[in-house]
Amino acid sequence: METLKTISGYFATIGVAFTVGFLFMGFRRILTARVQNRVGPPIYQNLLDIIKLWSKESAINHGLMQHMGPAFSITASVTTLMFIPVLRDGNWFQNFSFEGDLIFLLYIMVFGQLGMALGAGQTGNPNSAIGVSRGLSQIVGYEIPFVLALTALMVYHETTSLHEIMAAQDSIGGWNIFVNPLAFVAGIIAFLGMTHYTPFDVPFAPAELASGPPSEFGGKYLGMMMTSGSIFAFAKLTLFVNLFLGGASNLLELLVKALALYLIPVIIGIVTPRFRTEQAILFFWKWPTIIGILSILWVVWMR
Amino acid sequence: MDITGIPFFLAVSFGGAFLAYLMNFAHRFLRNAVVLLTVSASAALLFWLGDETFSMEMGGFVLTLGKTPYSLFFAGIVALLAVPTVLFSFTYMAKEERPAMYYLNLLITIAAMYGILFSLDLLSLFIFWEIMTWSSFLLTIHKGGNATKAGVKYFLYSAAGAYAILFSVVILYNMSGSLLIEDVARSFVLQNPLMQLMLAGTLLFGFSVKAGLMPMHGWAPDAYAESPAPFTALFSGALSKMGIFGMGMVLYQIFLQSPFSLPVRELLAWAGGITSALATLRAIQQTDAKRLLAYSSVAQLGYIVMGLALGTPLSMMAALFITLLHGVFKAMLFFAVGAVYFRTGLTDLNELRGLIRRMPVSFLTVLMAIISLANIPPLGGFVGKWLLYESLIQSDHYFLVIVAFFSSTASFLYVYRLIFSIFLGQEEKEFEHVKEVPFLTMQLPMLALAAVTFITGIFPGIVLAPISSALTYLGFPIQHDMWSMSMLFNEWGNRMNLLAMISVIGTVFLTGFTILYFYRMRRTRYVTTKDIHTSGEVPTENENLTYAINFYQPFERAAHPVLSKSIRAWIDWIGRSVSELGDFLRHIYTGDGQTYAWYVVLFLTFMLAAGSWIL
């Protein structure tokens, strides 16, 4: 009975993550449309897209690695989700979050992109290769401020466990966004890079690269990648809520906090043009890195 | 002779080398049998090695051999890589010239490494060190041509390191009257601190040359690129780790009590960090697979030095764990690149492409190795880096974390380029007839090592057990709550459960893969890489759709301020200047008797003129 409850908990988490993920993305589409003076699709449009993609038939393939790419991608998304505590306390939605720590999350989060890159590589499409080259370069850019922000938090709280970082932020004044605002700024700028929205969408660059790495993937492959994308978006948002906004005690609170965070890349994305790859990398290595270093110095000084 | 003694062990290792050389005149199968038997026998004998030490007097010096838990761990690495290396050599070297010489030098190198590890005094360590340098030099120049130049470079760097070591050994002997490492350590602490600093400095310099720490790394890219691939695996995987072994010994057996110990270690840690970052950036620029791996080796050795120099129990565990893992995955990569070279004759990343369907096992090997190299869970590389980052953060080296993490993330770039250029991308007609390498001698070593990366990723306890005893020997307090079979702990009490990790990753991956493979791929038909989305245009047969040259141009543009400078160029400039000076001197010392006779006449005339003027 206990096992059944645990296993259904896993599926519930994945279900919640998927639903919230596609709703948020639908919300972004509506918001973008309104800014561009369009009506936009309904909020559940992404779900319709995913259902449509899953029901399509593919006729061709380019080999085994192409099949493994989307599988790697969903592996990374679901594993990331499973090792992040969705709620502060209670038995639900904890999954495997006691079994791993932040260093593990750092690495498992890039696993999907590397796997996707391998899958895209086998298709032989030059657009995919160009996209991968840009995407991997951009990772080296935004991971630096991200790690700086995480290090600042880990050192301040003297733990690498998400649970303990959450537990330490027991009141609003104790939230890391207020305790160490510099780390939050560095982290959120890195988060802009992670979402791959403008100004950092050069790896996928619609209209230039024919959507880059996924250009040879259609039907169920694309469906699986979109599913994975929705889950991953939720996982990343939850991670940032846990790190900076003190986590959430119930799903509603989580939704509000996650939406607030999600609006930052969305709103910035709507109004900015695209960075070139080297501009993006240099941007990440400049201001967010300086802010990140200051945040660590701040923590060292506070201790 | 006692078969559990170290003399017998070394006799087997060295004797096998010469026996194999002789057997070459009988038949090559006989030779191969002897070679394989020698390395597997010495690997097996490691398990039964007795505890007693063995002394021998030679020219007034006492040479002492014995095993320690620390040396046994490194010997394990040598044995683990030696067997696949000779197995891989059998087919690979069949095409090359002078195989007898190759096997002789290879086995001597392996035996000399065991000799270094089992030396309890500095003189025998130095003797074996020189044997290793000589035999590995001969292996490096095996191909001739460019290899000779690379070999000479390697030898010059090694000679500089060796003289530095010899210099310290002589002074240490004078100070303590004994060559035994424990005696030396005991009298070392009585010296004045500046003397201690100088002696340790020269010793560390000598050992770090072999480890390829920047700026002493200049030999590594050339030597790794030019030596025969199976040997390169051993070269980068095991031989360069002898430098790490020596540095660990100096830092924690001799130098630890000195007041300069901490600053020197701090400096070394930063040297390691900077080495790993700069070498990673260089690796991204390379277009030759072996040079790329060479720079990657330099970078990985940088991590090991970092962990070694920090000197917390956790960081030492990390350093030794990466030492083993780097040996394993770098051997896999050199083997796979060697396999590609064996079939295509190419290592140039701009020319190779699309071999995945021709050489699937080599592809799988490279895939496993790069996942391990990029520290991505669930393979062994992740465990090493997890330990390293935890120890860096907990010993308050926050900025070193960033440097280490930067090079770790940037390593995704070069590993992807390696696997993409060789195996993925457009498939070309040119490589249509390429076949996978033979199973027993080439695939098996690669797959066996791939299995090691997988097992160590889930059950690192197998490796952490010998590491703990090695560290206990070096004087580190390793408690039992610091690790278990598949669980890692840091000093703050956080944990990483690797079994939970593999169950989640395994379940999701298998589910996802099964859906896509059995449900989809069975019903689809394979099309070539020409049959792709090209916005409506149909590419012709000979149209080039490859994006492989200048693969990371945007990144190189961003990193240009760093990449445009080079330490090696400076050292090469010094080399060139010396050689130009030599050329100039050749105009004077022409080697012609007539000219010298003229010099004598000129000199006498000058003397006469000068003399008459003065007088």
Side-chain angles (χ1 to χ4, degrees):
Chain A
M1 197 57 218
E2 202 55 38
T3 328
L4 200 67
K5 203 177 156 192
T6 320
I7 291 174
S8 57
Y10 304 154
F11 284 106
T13 315
I14 295 172
V16 167
F18 175 68
T19 317
V20 174
F22 82 72
L23 284 178
F24 274 20
M25 286 177 169
F27 175 71
R28 170 171 175 254
R29 288 172 80 162
I30 295 177
L31 203 67
T32 314
R34 293 294 148 84
V35 171
Q36 295 167 351
N37 208 8
R38 293 184 283 123
V39 177
I43 196 163
Y44 50 83
Q45 182 62 44
N46 274 36
L47 181 66
L48 300 182
D49 288 350
I50 290 171
I51 292 172
K52 176 195 75 184
L53 286 169
W54 273 105
S55 58
K56 275 195 167 183
E57 287 290 324
S58 304
I60 56 169
N61 75 70
H62 289 285
L64 192 61
M65 198 62 224
Q66 194 196 359
H67 294 260
M68 279 162 78
F72 273 138
S73 167
I74 197 140
T75 307
S77 305
V78 175
T79 311
T80 311
L81 182 69
M82 284 294 141
F83 280 84
I84 292 175
V86 177
L87 295 181
R88 273 180 82 104
D89 27 44
N91 292 327
W92 280 88
F93 300 120
Q94 299 301 336
N95 304 320
F96 290 93
S97 58
F98 289 101
E99 309 299 335
D101 68 350
L102 278 170
I103 307 276
F104 169 73
L105 285 175
L106 267 176
Y107 276 108
I108 196 68
M109 279 166 79
V110 290
F111 177 65
Q113 303 190 31
L114 208 59
M116 210 36 247
L118 290 168
Q122 198 185 18
T123 63
N125 193 316
N127 284 332
S128 308
I130 295 171
V132 167
S133 152
R134 292 171 174 190
L136 291 178
S137 306
Q138 200 165 295
I139 293 181
V140 184
Y142 66 69
E143 286 283 312
I144 303 299
F146 186 48
V147 175
L148 280 164
L150 282 189
T151 308
L153 295 190
M154 289 190 278
V155 171
Y156 180 72
H157 294 289
E158 296 203 335
T159 180
T160 59
S161 145
L162 258 177
H163 275 286
E164 292 176 26
I165 289 181
M166 262 201 293
Q169 313 173 52
D170 42 10
S171 64
I172 293 182
W175 288 2
N176 281 325
I177 185 171
F178 302 120
V179 171
N180 195 341
L182 292 173
F184 175 73
V185 173
I188 206 73
I189 296 177
F191 184 66
L192 296 184
M194 268 180 234
T195 52
H196 292 299
Y197 294 160
T198 44
F200 303 111
D201 64 340
V202 77
F204 298 93
E208 183 200 338
L209 284 183
S211 81
S215 47
E216 282 303 307
F217 293 87
K220 294 193 167 67
Y221 301 105
L222 198 58
M224 186 168 265
M225 280 158 65
M226 278 185 75
T227 314
S228 153
S230 304
I231 296 172
F232 198 49
F234 176 80
K236 276 185 294 194
L237 283 168
T238 314
L239 175 68
F240 271 78
V241 168
N242 290 349
L243 282 175
F244 293 104
L245 302 181
S249 327
N250 54 54
L251 282 180
L252 192 68
E253 189 188 344
L254 181 71
L255 274 185
V256 173
K257 284 178 176 177
L259 188 62
L261 275 182
Y262 185 67
L263 280 175
I264 299 173
V266 167
I267 290 176
I268 290 176
I270 289 173
V271 295
T272 43
R274 186 181 296 156
F275 268 139
R276 290 166 61 121
T277 318
E278 64 265 26
Q279 288 168 336
I281 297 172
L282 287 175
F283 170 77
F284 284 122
W285 284 352
K286 210 189 251 165
W287 294 113
T289 303
I290 294 171
I291 294 169
I293 290 174
L294 287 177
S295 80
I296 291 186
L297 293 177
W298 166 251
V299 165
V300 174
W301 183 70
M302 288 229 300
R303 287 216 302 176
Chain B
M1 202 187 263
D2 179 13
I3 66 156
T4 63
I6 287 175
F8 179 73
F9 177 79
L10 288 181
V12 168
S13 309
F14 277 104
F18 294 102
L19 188 64
Y21 186 72
L22 292 179
M23 283 303 150
N24 188 56
F25 299 108
H27 195 278
R28 67 191 172 91
F29 284 119
L30 209 56
R31 176 202 65 206
N32 288 357
V34 172
V35 171
L36 189 60
L37 206 64
T38 307
V39 286
S40 8
S42 42
L45 279 174
L46 274 182
F47 287 98
W48 285 289
L49 222 47
D51 280 324
E52 62 272 24
T53 57
F54 168 83
S55 305
M56 182 180 85
E57 198 169 316
M58 198 178 82
F61 293 104
V62 183
L63 303 183
T64 318
L65 298 173
K67 72 162 193 188
T68 67
Y70 180 53
S71 61
L72 213 53
F73 173 70
F74 279 85
I77 298 177
V78 175
L80 181 68
L81 296 183
V83 180
T85 298
V86 297
L87 209 55
F88 195 84
S89 300
F90 290 152
T91 316
Y92 186 89
M93 292 307 289
K95 276 188 176 177
E96 308 272 324
E97 288 170 10
R98 287 173 285 118
M101 202 58 195
Y102 171 81
Y103 288 112
L104 175 70
N105 286 321
L106 183 67
L107 291 189
I108 289 182
T109 308
I110 295 169
M113 283 195 269
Y114 287 130
I116 292 169
L117 297 171
F118 292 133
S119 301
L120 288 183
D121 67 305
L122 290 170
L123 185 64
S124 41
L125 187 142
F126 184 75
I127 293 171
F128 286 121
W129 189 267
E130 281 301 280
I131 296 175
M132 179 184 84
T133 303
W134 271 99
S135 49
S136 56
F137 162 70
L138 291 174
L139 282 168
T140 309
I141 62 168
H142 192 83
K143 264 190 235 164
N146 275 340
T148 317
K149 224 171 160 184
V152 171
K153 207 171 191 178
Y154 166 58
F155 195 79
L156 283 176
Y157 274 87
S158 296
Y163 290 139
I165 295 174
L166 188 62
F167 171 79
S168 309
V169 169
V170 171
I171 297 180
L172 284 170
Y173 178 65
N174 259 336
M175 275 169 20
S176 59
S178 160
L179 282 164
L180 271 183
I181 291 169
E182 11 182 297
D183 292 345
V184 167
R186 219 170 294 132
S187 62
F188 189 84
V189 285
L190 305 173
Q191 302 302 316
N192 83 48
L194 278 175
M195 188 71 176
Q196 293 183 350
L197 179 66
M198 187 196 73
L199 286 174
T202 42
L203 276 177
L204 286 174
F205 168 78
F207 287 123
S208 62
V209 169
K210 271 282 187 298
L213 194 68
M214 276 184 184
M216 284 84 77
H217 69 294
W219 57 272
D222 298 329
Y224 288 166
E226 296 295 340
S227 50
F231 169 65
T232 321
L234 193 74
F235 202 173
S236 153
L239 202 148
S240 63
K241 307 295 163 51
M242 294 300 119
I244 299 296
F245 170 78
M247 288 168 91
M249 185 189 79
V250 174
L251 285 175
Y252 298 108
Q253 283 188 292
I254 300 179
F255 192 47
L256 190 62
Q257 307 297 330
S258 162
F260 285 109
S261 172
L262 201 64
V264 163
R265 290 197 342 239
E266 204 67 12
L267 204 69
L268 261 184
W270 272 99
I274 291 168
T275 300
S276 68
L278 292 183
T280 303
L281 286 177
R282 278 278 169 248
I284 294 169
Q285 277 185 309
Q286 301 306 314
T287 53
D288 181 273
K290 286 188 84 182
R291 286 186 83 83
L292 186 152
L293 292 177
Y295 273 108
S296 148
S297 298
V298 175
Q300 297 285 327
L301 267 288
Y303 288 120
I304 300 174
V305 171
M306 212 189 303
L308 197 71
L310 285 185
T312 66
L314 206 61
S315 81
M316 289 298 285
M317 262 159 72
L320 294 190
F321 194 89
I322 302 174
T323 304
L324 174 89
L325 246 287
H326 172 250
V328 173
F329 64 67
K330 204 43 74 67
M332 287 159 69
L333 287 170
F334 276 120
F335 283 165
V337 168
V340 169
Y341 178 76
F342 181 74
R343 283 300 192 213
T344 63
L346 292 170
T347 54
D348 189 344
L349 294 177
N350 288 343
E351 288 178 42
L352 284 164
R353 61 196 54 144
L355 289 178
I356 177 170
R357 281 153 39 79
R358 314 274 163 238
M359 306 181 76
V361 176
S362 307
F363 171 76
L364 182 71
T365 310
V366 174
L367 181 64
M368 299 275 282
I370 67 168
I371 290 179
S372 217
L373 194 155
N375 323 320
I376 288 173
L379 300 188
F382 169 68
V383 176
K385 290 297 149 61
W386 191 90
L387 293 168
L388 185 66
Y389 291 126
E390 301 282 349
S391 64
L392 281 170
I393 295 174
Q394 280 148 43
S395 58
D396 295 342
H397 290 85
Y398 314 127
F399 294 106
L400 221 43
V401 180
I402 310 305
V403 175
F405 205 87
F406 166 77
S407 37
S408 160
T409 315
S411 70
F412 298 161
L413 268 63
Y414 70 73
V415 295
Y416 185 77
R417 183 175 193 173
L418 182 79
I419 198 168
F420 175 80
S421 302
I422 299 180
F423 294 103
L424 303 173
Q426 288 286 327
E427 293 178 15
E428 298 283 329
K429 270 229 165 80
E430 197 186 336
F431 301 115
E432 228 164 43
H433 304 293
V434 173
K435 285 201 297 278
E436 181 58 283
V437 288
F439 177 75
L440 196 63
T441 51
M442 290 177 116
Q443 291 183 20
L444 190 66
M446 296 196 282
L447 291 174
L449 291 178
V452 173
T453 62
F454 188 70
I455 293 166
T456 47
I458 307 164
F459 301 109
I462 299 171
V463 184
L464 291 173
I467 287 179
S468 303
S469 42
L471 292 181
T472 315
Y473 171 77
L474 284 184
F476 287 94
I478 301 288
Q479 267 92 40
H480 282 289
D481 58 352
M482 286 181 65
W483 58 274
S484 71
M485 189 43 86
S486 61
M487 193 90 95
L488 305 168
F489 302 94
N490 68 11
E491 285 157 18
W492 287 332
N494 310 124
R495 65 178 170 166
M496 177 71 231
N497 184 344
L498 296 163
L499 272 183
M501 171 196 81
I502 188 68
S503 4
V504 177
I505 293 182
T507 315
V508 184
F509 178 71
L510 287 180
T511 317
F513 185 65
T514 314
I515 293 174
L516 286 182
Y517 182 75
F518 289 102
Y519 186 59
R520 293 303 334 136
M521 192 174 170
R522 290 295 187 77
R523 292 196 212 163
T524 53
R525 104 193 122 81
Y526 173 79
V527 295
T528 66
T529 45
K530 288 279 183 215
D531 198 350
I532 51 174
H533 165 74
T534 44
S535 311
E537 286 183 36
V538 181
T540 58
E541 191 74 356
N542 295 319
E543 202 161 331
N544 188 356
L545 290 175
T546 303
Y547 179 77
I549 298 170
N550 258 339
F551 196 73
Y552 288 119
Q553 196 187 33
F555 183 82
E556 286 178 19
R557 272 191 213 134
H560 182 259
V562 185
L563 289 175
S564 55
K565 296 176 188 62
S566 160
I567 310 170
R568 266 162 50 92
W570 274 98
I571 295 174
D572 284 351
W573 177 81
I574 296 172
R576 264 203 316 282
S577 313
V578 171
S579 113
E580 272 163 24
L581 186 71
D583 282 346
F584 172 71
L585 289 178
R586 262 273 160 245
H587 290 301
I588 300 169
Y589 295 101
T590 52
D592 181 6
Q594 295 276 338
T595 326
Y596 293 149
W598 267 109
Y599 289 157
V600 172
V601 171
L602 277 176
F603 179 71
L604 286 178
T605 325
F606 171 76
M607 288 303 276
L608 272 175
S612 60
W613 183 70
I614 292 167
L615 291 172

